[in-house]
Amino acid sequence: MQITSRFTVAIHTMLCIASFSNTRKVTSNFIAQSTNSNPVIIRRILGQLKDAGLINIAAGVGGSTIAKPLTVITLLDIFNAVEAINDNFFSFHENPNCKCPVGKNIHTILDEHLDDIVQSMNKQMQQVNLQTLLEETEPYL
Amino acid sequence: MQITSRFTVAIHTMLCIASFSNTRKVTSNFIAQSTNSNPVIIRRILGQLKDAGLINIAAGVGGSTIAKPLTVITLLDIFNAVEAINDNFFSFHENPNCKCPVGKNIHTILDEHLDDIVQSMNKQMQQVNLQTLLEETEPYL
DNA sequence: ATTGTTGTAACTTGTTTTGTTGCAACTAAA
DNA sequence: TTTAGTTGCAACAAAACAAGTTACAACAAT
């Protein structure tokens, strides 16, 4: 069980746009080459990032730009944009036996604790913003 | 993207053993009925829990028991037992373009931050032990 | 008009999770 | 020593999902 590569590809995508959109047109094809992925895969991710309000996409002529100040975009924003889970990070087996006291209440017992885990993950993801990542990239540019 | 139900089924399994093993024989079949799963699925999970040293399984005659004090077994122990990831919770797309400064360094840039996220998740999982969960279950027994 | 791009649908491929069947090995008890 | 109930495991099937691919209409600047 792993978090999909979509998350890190989306971060990679955001970094490409942030790094290059002021000097060249950043198309799905360009990003696909940098990530070693596929333009259509990237377009799907770009669409999600746009729906989340993180980027703008130029229709027709092409190319994407960042839609917000880099300091306010965090890993959590990107994660939520491309991983449509939010409330169901952990999954349960369906229809546990309601005649068993454990089976009957497993959801009630676990929900709060699992939510705490998600919250602590979210909190840590919020600590990292795009500006920071970009600064860590810049020595290599 | 969701964490597999194996995790919550494993917690459910541990709770069944903790709740019932002193009054009856807790077999894979019994647990399968409580979780609405399959005895073989449960046996696979039981095997992982045993390998992690969390339970004992009686060969031949059958039935499982908890192998450690309930207070020292945490959700993290169970998670690590059944989700064989540990170091690769987040995944990357393979072979990013090493000619692109972002592609070339994406791993270096992200690894530490992603590890922080995993660590904060682990830390929260360690906050919840089986004893606590059992006490929360007991009102329903 | 032409060109390059996006958005999207439809399909394929590969992997993983979950379920299932079958059976040898084992242990306690009859 | 047989019997009954159970585990461990292999092999396979089914379902779900991630990722890749092909194709094409819609679009906007030149």
Side-chain angles (χ1 to χ4, degrees):
Chain A
M1 218 295 314
Q2 283 187 314
I3 304 289
T4 319
S5 70
R6 182 160 35 208
F7 178 43
T8 54
V9 171
I11 301 171
H12 189 148
T13 295
M14 292 296 283
L15 282 174
C16 275
I17 300 172
S19 298
F20 301 118
S21 64
N22 53 341
T23 55
R24 54 160 298 166
K25 187 164 75 172
V26 181
T27 66
S28 59
N29 203 55
F30 174 78
I31 300 166
Q33 281 171 12
S34 175
T35 54
N36 183 34
S37 178
N38 184 287
V40 179
I41 301 287
I42 299 299
R43 274 179 235 156
R44 294 206 265 249
I45 290 174
L46 287 171
Q48 293 179 296
L49 295 170
K50 179 187 150 203
D51 289 346
L54 304 181
I55 63 170
N56 299 120
I57 306 179
V61 61
S64 297
T65 52
I66 303 287
K68 289 180 175 186
L70 293 178
T71 51
V72 308
I73 300 177
T74 69
L75 289 188
L76 180 59
D77 296 314
I78 300 174
F79 187 75
N80 285 336
V82 299
E83 297 284 354
I85 33 173
N86 270 332
D87 213 20
N88 291 304
F89 189 56
F90 295 99
S91 61
F92 286 82
H93 200 285
E94 283 171 10
N95 306 317
N97 192 337
C98 58
K99 285 181 206 146
C100 169
V102 176
K104 189 178 185 178
N105 301 289
I106 187 73
H107 238 297
T108 314
I109 296 160
L110 288 186
D111 275 345
E112 193 184 341
H113 296 298
L114 297 181
D115 190 57
D116 287 344
I117 297 166
V118 172
Q119 290 309 318
S120 85
M121 214 178 88
N122 287 353
K123 207 168 172 182
Q124 189 62 39
M125 285 193 184
Q126 277 182 313
Q127 301 302 305
V128 185
N129 66 56
L130 255 197
Q131 176 67 37
T132 306
L133 285 183
L134 196 63
E135 281 163 14
E136 289 169 8
T137 313
E138 261 157 14
Y140 307 112
L141 288 182
Chain B
M1 219 290 317
Q2 283 189 314
I3 303 289
T4 319
S5 70
R6 181 163 32 209
F7 178 43
T8 54
V9 171
I11 301 171
H12 189 147
T13 294
M14 291 296 284
L15 281 174
C16 274
I17 299 171
S19 298
F20 302 118
S21 65
N22 53 341
T23 56
R24 55 159 299 166
K25 187 165 75 172
V26 182
T27 65
S28 60
N29 203 55
F30 173 78
I31 300 167
Q33 280 171 12
S34 175
T35 55
N36 183 36
S37 180
N38 184 290
V40 179
I41 301 288
I42 299 299
R43 273 179 236 157
R44 294 207 264 249
I45 290 174
L46 287 170
Q48 292 178 296
L49 294 170
K50 179 186 150 202
D51 289 345
L54 304 182
I55 63 170
N56 300 120
I57 305 179
V61 59
S64 298
T65 53
I66 305 287
K68 289 181 177 186
L70 293 178
T71 51
V72 308
I73 300 177
T74 70
L75 290 188
L76 180 60
D77 296 314
I78 300 174
F79 187 76
N80 285 336
V82 299
E83 299 283 352
I85 32 174
N86 271 333
D87 213 19
N88 292 305
F89 189 57
F90 294 100
S91 60
F92 286 82
H93 200 287
E94 285 171 11
N95 306 318
N97 191 336
C98 58
K99 286 179 206 148
C100 168
V102 176
K104 189 177 186 179
N105 300 289
I106 187 73
H107 237 296
T108 314
I109 295 160
L110 288 185
D111 274 346
E112 193 183 339
H113 296 299
L114 297 181
D115 190 58
D116 287 344
I117 296 167
V118 172
Q119 289 310 317
S120 85
M121 209 178 90
N122 285 354
K123 207 169 173 183
Q124 188 62 39
M125 284 193 184
Q126 276 182 314
Q127 300 303 305
V128 185
N129 66 57
L130 254 197
Q131 176 67 36
T132 306
L133 285 183
L134 196 63
E135 282 165 13
E136 290 169 6
T137 313
E138 262 158 13
Y140 307 111
L141 289 181

